[in-house]
């Protein structure tokens, strides 16, 4: 089996990646690092650089964890993309980062994390930045 982590180049994404590497090492499983961007977006802050992704795969390798990067595009819904990739790769755990948002922000913008937590048919580990000592 394997573990899937949704990664964006932010403190929350970094915390999720560290937690996913630790879980993959603990379980002896492969790690899939997902960085999905909105199709057609001219500017997207969630796009990870090659250096970001190389750093994460190097950290996984240093921990003895095999990893692969899955860079994809999504049309409408990032949560659907993560859930689909989790099913396709038959992962045992999904790791996501949580950021603090106001109730109004959640209502207006929705919450990909909330949808993943509620709709996933497998365990989800939700991580906040700063929870792991970083």
């Amino acid at each position: 089996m394997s573990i899937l982590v949704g990664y964006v180049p932010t403190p929350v994404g970094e915390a999720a990646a560290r937690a996913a590497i630790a879980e993959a090492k603990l379980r002896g499983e492969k790690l899939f690092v997902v960085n999905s961007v909105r199709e057609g977006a001219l500017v997207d802050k969630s796009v990870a650089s090659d250096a970001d992704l190389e750093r994460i795969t190097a950290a996984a390798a240093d921990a003895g964890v095999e990893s692969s990067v899955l860079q994809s595009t999504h049309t409408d819904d990032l949560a659907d993309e993560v859930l689909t990739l989790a099913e396709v790769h038959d992962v045992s755990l999904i790791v996501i980062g949580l950021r603090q948002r106001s109730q109004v922000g959640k209502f207006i913008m929705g919450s990909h994390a909330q949808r993943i937590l509620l709709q996933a048919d497998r365990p989800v580990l939700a991580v906040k930045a700063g929870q792991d000592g970083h």
Side-chain angles (χ1 to χ4, degrees):
M1 305 242 10
S2 54
I3 293 174
L4 182 141
V5 60
Y7 175 76
V8 292
T10 64
V12 170
E14 296 296 329
R18 286 190 298 273
I21 290 168
E23 282 294 321
K25 180 177 181 172
L26 179 69
R27 298 167 180 237
E29 296 183 1
K30 180 176 180 172
L31 176 65
F32 288 106
V33 180
V34 176
N35 181 245
S36 183
V37 297
R38 180 177 269 279
E39 190 174 283
L42 298 176
V43 176
D44 191 340
K45 293 180 182 178
S46 64
V47 175
S49 70
D50 289 340
D52 289 330
L53 297 171
E54 288 171 8
R55 183 177 35 72
I56 291 169
T57 57
D62 288 347
V65 172
E66 180 186 353
S67 65
S68 293
V69 173
L70 303 174
Q71 286 190 290
S72 63
T73 58
H74 60 276
T75 52
D76 291 326
D77 195 346
L78 176 60
D80 284 341
E81 179 72 9
V82 169
L83 294 170
T84 297
L85 288 170
E87 185 176 331
V88 166
H89 294 284
D90 193 27
V91 302
S92 63
L93 177 70
I94 300 170
V95 181
I96 58 172
L98 295 179
R99 59 189 170 114
Q100 288 189 320
R101 292 179 34 195
S102 70
Q103 291 298 325
V104 173
K106 289 178 196 173
F107 177 73
I108 293 171
M109 300 297 286
S111 173
H112 297 299
Q114 182 179 14
R115 290 223 17 251
I116 292 168
L117 286 165
L118 294 174
Q119 295 179 1
D121 61 355
R122 58 204 75 225
V124 178
L125 173 61
V127 179
K128 291 181 185 179
Q131 278 190 305
D132 62 351
H134 291 86

